[in-house]
Amino acid sequence: GAVVTWGKAKDGGDSSAVANYLIDIKFIASNAVAFAAVNSRGMLRATWGVSDAGGTVPNAPQKATLEEKPVRKIVGALYAFAAILQDGTVQAWGWANGGGAIPDALADVLYNTQQKNPDVEGGFDTIADITASHSAFAARTTAGKVYAWGDAEAGGDASQVATQLESCVVTSIAATHYA
């Protein structure tokens, strides 16, 4: 479908700069000041709004990945987005301190489609779901592990419950504004 926007221009109310890309759109994700549109083939077609809050996908390798691999789901935090791609990997963009940058410590887990796990159907543990709080994200793998990043006070640091998370198989994840 087509997209029509209105409201405060700088916060996504004006999509005229990306209007040519806003055709055949299947779903749109939003945060407080930006939008991301995915077409019927699952490809990220456009982002608009406040640039450093997710309105622009900043770096070349990440932008190429998001433009070349189908997107399964996008969620928005206050000023950032995170997307699960069809291959089970995650990309994030927007305000780095609010979850828009995946920490190096999680890169192997969230970017890697080859996380071997014999207990998972197909033998590989990929990202199955993702959720967002105010300024953080959490991702759940097919094996039931949970990884969080972003603002620690908004749920981006799960180290205090790491033992509990490691001792169980998580089947769903959810977030509130700050947890």
Side-chain angles (χ1 to χ4, degrees):
V3 175
V4 177
T5 59
W6 64 94
K8 194 171 189 178
K10 75 175 188 74
D11 292 344
D14 178 3
S15 60
S16 61
V18 295
N20 291 341
Y21 298 100
L22 296 177
I23 54 171
D24 189 31
I25 300 302
K26 182 178 178 181
F27 70 89
I28 295 175
S30 64
N31 67 24
V33 294
F35 294 94
V38 175
N39 70 11
S40 65
R41 294 188 340 259
M43 306 307 290
L44 180 67
R45 290 300 292 150
T47 57
W48 70 98
V50 177
S51 291
D52 59 354
T56 300
V57 179
N59 64 41
Q62 185 178 42
K63 187 171 186 171
T65 298
L66 284 164
E67 290 176 349
E68 295 171 3
K69 293 183 179 183
V71 173
R72 193 168 36 182
K73 181 178 182 180
I74 298 177
V75 294
L78 184 65
Y79 299 128
F81 290 107
I84 304 175
L85 306 182
Q86 201 64 40
D87 64 6
T89 60
V90 174
Q91 293 288 321
W93 68 98
W95 180 45
N97 292 335
I102 294 173
D104 291 341
L106 296 179
D108 282 345
V109 175
L110 299 178
Y111 296 148
N112 189 353
T113 60
Q114 303 300 311
Q115 292 289 330
K116 293 185 180 184
N117 186 330
D119 298 328
V120 177
E121 185 178 332
F124 294 103
D125 192 15
T126 60
I127 303 303
D129 196 13
I130 195 164
T131 191
S133 72
H134 177 274
S135 299
F137 296 98
R140 179 182 59 85
T141 71
T142 52
K145 300 299 177 197
V146 175
Y147 300 96
W149 70 98
D151 182 357
E153 291 184 6
D157 179 1
S159 61
Q160 291 180 336
V161 293
T163 303
Q164 289 117 312
L165 288 172
E166 290 169 7
S167 67
C168 67
V169 175
V170 178
T171 58
S172 69
I173 55 176
T176 66
H177 196 64
Y178 281 105

